[in-house]
Amino acid sequence: MPNHLWYFGAGNGEFLSKFTIDSYKSVSLLECNPLNCDVLKFKFNDNLNVQVENIVIGPENNKSTIYYFMNEHLDGLCEFPSIISSFPNAKVYQTKLSDVVAFNDYKGFDNYISRDGNVLVLDVGDVGDSIIENISFDVLDKVEWLVWVRPVARSRDDQFLKCLKILKENALIITQKFSQSLYDVYYFKFSQDRKNIDNLSKGVSILLSEKANRETIVYKLKAELQKKDAIIQKLSYELNESQESLDKMSSLLLNIEKDRDLVCELKVKLLEKNKSIQECFEKLKEKDNSLSKLSLKLEQSLALIEQYKIDLDKKSNLLLKLEEMYDLKESEKIKLQIDIEYLRRKLSYIN
């Protein structure tokens, strides 16, 4: 048994029969014309399961001028201005500035827990196209069947095809139940899995986005890796040059070590020579001292020689005087000669 019926654009109830109404546990008749609402309340006064609500529904919240008019087909019908051109004999008898409630903001869906058997009839003329174009299917989570009543006067234009595409993408089943002279009626059934499919689709989109992001990251990482490879190659080349420089420096260092050892050896030899020089200097100093002593002795000897010379001269003079003055005895003369000879030899020795 059908559960609940929402009928947007119920009009004066011409398309409703008591049998249809009685087949639902509860019914919400939504109509923008207050005169039609009075007619509906009169017709279904004895049906406690029927609620009549005077509401102007549209694609968005705003204020709009509502035209109430009558024609030979549908007395008391209320529509927006664009539909009036479809009824040449229609006569507008009243206008009213009313608040328009966005379909997506309608709170009547929140009163029901289960969605099974719930039916939504959208019979609001060309306004239905704008509603479907902006419809949020999360609002329809409590709806199993959507019945779209569309005026035939609105031929199958681009807007109709766009709306039909939107509903097909979100509905499980679509059937064109019947057509009549003024209206085409389309039935759409929504599956409970639609939301899961939507979530899955969103999840797939997220995964694809993440995959694209990861591919972008991988591409960036590859680019950075190539840059780092180039840097590594450059560093490797510089490292090889550094290694060659290091080898040269090592060779120079080895030569320096050898030179240092040679310098150490030369230093040791120099120290030894310095020691030898010092010893020679000490010996020279000693020799200088000895020479000084010898010089002093020489001076003394020279002084003594001078003294001997003086003595010799004196004795020679004395001898001459003696030879002149006296006739010396031969023995004394010989003795004197011996003395003189002795003094001469001694003097020769000293010299």
Side-chain angles (χ1 to χ4, degrees):
M1 182 178 181
N3 188 16
H4 185 79
L5 169 68
W6 293 276
Y7 199 115
F8 287 87
N12 59 9
E14 183 180 1
F15 292 122
L16 297 173
S17 65
K18 187 174 182 179
F19 172 79
T20 303
I21 293 297
D22 290 340
S23 64
Y24 290 92
K25 292 181 181 180
S26 58
V27 176
S28 294
L29 301 178
L30 300 102
E31 170 58 35
C32 61
N33 188 339
L35 299 178
N36 284 338
C37 288
D38 293 339
V39 174
L40 292 172
K41 290 177 181 178
F42 177 78
K43 282 186 176 181
F44 303 105
N45 186 42
D46 56 344
N47 293 83
L48 298 179
N49 63 333
V50 176
Q51 295 180 344
V52 178
E53 185 176 354
N54 183 206
I55 183 173
V56 181
I57 202 75
E60 59 185 13
N61 295 309
N62 57 24
K63 286 184 177 293
S64 180
T65 300
I66 306 302
Y67 294 78
Y68 303 91
F69 66 95
M70 297 176 63
N71 60 55
E72 67 276 19
H73 298 291
L74 303 173
D75 295 337
L77 186 66
C78 171
E79 291 287 353
F80 288 96
S82 60
I83 198 65
I84 297 177
S85 60
S86 301
F87 301 95
N89 299 324
K91 296 180 180 181
V92 178
Y93 68 91
Q94 186 179 358
T95 60
K96 180 181 178 182
L97 185 65
S98 301
D99 291 327
V100 179
V101 178
F103 178 82
N104 294 332
D105 293 338
Y106 177 65
K107 304 299 181 183
F109 302 117
D110 299 335
N111 298 327
Y112 298 89
I113 299 175
S114 174
R115 65 186 300 279
D116 296 334
N118 292 341
V119 178
L120 167 65
V121 178
L122 197 60
D123 185 8
V124 290
D126 59 344
V127 179
D129 294 355
S130 299
I131 290 175
I132 292 173
E133 282 183 328
N134 297 278
I135 197 168
S136 172
F137 286 93
D138 291 336
V139 176
L140 300 181
D141 282 342
K142 302 296 177 60
V143 177
E144 184 178 8
W145 284 90
L146 170 64
V147 181
W148 182 25
V149 181
R150 193 173 190 277
V152 174
R154 300 282 295 175
S155 60
R156 294 172 177 260
D157 53 14
D158 293 339
Q159 189 176 20
F160 164 76
L161 296 175
K162 181 178 179 181
C163 294
L164 195 63
K165 180 180 179 182
I166 292 172
L167 292 172
K168 283 182 177 181
E169 289 175 349
N170 290 273
L172 181 65
I173 299 173
I174 175 174
T175 59
Q176 184 173 348
K177 186 68 174 179
F178 64 88
S179 296
Q180 59 178 24
S181 60
L182 295 178
Y183 295 95
D184 290 329
V185 181
Y186 298 89
Y187 285 76
F188 299 89
K189 183 176 181 181
F190 294 90
S191 171
Q192 183 65 33
D193 294 334
R194 180 191 63 81
K195 195 168 186 179
N196 297 331
I197 292 172
D198 288 344
N199 293 334
L200 181 61
S201 178
K202 291 178 181 178
V204 171
S205 298
I206 292 172
L207 289 175
L208 291 175
S209 177
E210 290 180 354
K211 181 181 178 182
N213 292 335
R214 288 175 181 171
E215 288 177 350
T216 303
I217 293 171
V218 169
Y219 176 77
K220 290 181 178 179
L221 289 175
K222 285 183 177 179
E224 291 180 1
L225 186 60
Q226 290 177 353
K227 291 181 180 178
K228 290 182 178 179
D229 286 339
I231 293 172
I232 290 172
Q233 290 179 356
K234 183 178 179 181
L235 290 175
S236 178
Y237 177 74
E238 292 178 355
L239 182 62
N240 291 332
E241 290 184 344
S242 300
Q243 186 64 39
E244 292 178 359
S245 300
L246 183 61
D247 292 339
K248 291 180 180 179
M249 291 179 67
S250 299
S251 178
L252 291 174
L253 184 61
L254 183 61
N255 293 332
I256 290 171
E257 289 290 334
K258 292 180 179 178
D259 293 340
R260 188 179 66 178
D261 294 339
L262 181 59
V263 168
C264 290
E265 292 179 0
L266 293 173
K267 187 176 180 180
V268 171
K269 290 181 179 181
L270 182 60
L271 290 174
E272 291 177 353
K273 288 185 177 181
N274 286 336
K275 186 176 179 181
S276 300
I277 291 171
Q278 186 67 29
E279 291 176 354
C280 291
F281 180 76
E282 293 295 332
K283 289 180 180 180
L284 183 61
K285 188 176 180 180
E286 290 177 357
K287 288 182 178 181
D288 286 340
N289 293 331
S290 300
L291 287 174
S292 297
K293 291 178 181 180
L294 290 172
S295 178
L296 181 60
K297 286 182 179 181
L298 181 59
E299 287 178 358
Q300 292 175 354
S301 298
L302 289 173
L304 185 61
I305 290 170
E306 289 295 326
Q307 186 66 37
Y308 286 158
K309 282 183 176 181
I310 292 171
D311 291 341
L312 182 60
D313 289 337
K314 285 179 179 182
K315 287 183 177 183
S316 295
N317 292 330
L318 182 60
L319 179 60
L320 290 173
K321 286 179 178 180
L322 287 174
E323 287 179 349
E324 291 176 357
M325 293 175 64
Y326 302 100
D327 188 12
L328 295 174
K329 295 180 178 181
E330 187 70 25
S331 58
E332 290 177 357
K333 185 179 179 180
I334 294 172
K335 182 179 178 181
L336 184 60
Q337 290 177 348
I338 292 170
D339 291 335
I340 291 171
E341 184 69 23
Y342 172 75
L343 288 173
R344 284 178 177 174
R345 289 181 179 179
K346 194 170 184 179
L347 180 61
S348 177
Y349 175 76
I350 292 171
N351 287 331

